[in-house]
Amino acid sequence: MAGVWVSSLCGMKGLEFGCVVVAGVTASAFPFAAAVTSADVDPLQNATDLAAERCLLFVASTRAREALYMSYSGRPGNFLDGVRQQEERRPIAL
């Protein structure tokens, strides 16, 4: 099926695509602050919430069969630490 599918990270579970683009993986947006309990309030819940947010990004990134693109503007999200960043910019043919 040709076309573009727009979905939330959670909505990607169980699906697979040739190309996946995860846009907006910035430090200010990912992990989603409202979904993460402050470490000052409850350190254990904070760790659990961060793991759940990381899992959502993992689910989205493993839906790609052939190509995965992640974008950010400004400072990349902490979950991108250790991910190989490709500086080359090239157009995506859909």
Side-chain angles (χ1 to χ4, degrees), residues 31-79:
F32 184 53
V36 179
T37 303
S38 170
D40 295 335
V41 173
D42 187 341
L44 182 58
Q45 188 61 50
N46 173 267
T48 301
D49 293 346
L50 286 173
E53 288 290 294
R54 186 182 301 271
C55 184
L56 285 174
L57 185 59
F58 175 80
V59 166
S61 64
T62 58
R63 303 301 93 194
R65 285 190 308 258
E66 298 166 23
L68 170 66
Y69 299 91
M70 290 189 182
S71 72
Y72 61 88
S73 176
R75 196 167 60 96
N78 296 334
F79 293 162

Side-chain angles (χ1 to χ4, degrees), residues 20-40:
V20 172
V21 177
V22 182
V25 188
T26 63
S28 62
F30 210 91
F32 184 53
V36 179
T37 303
S38 170
D40 295 335

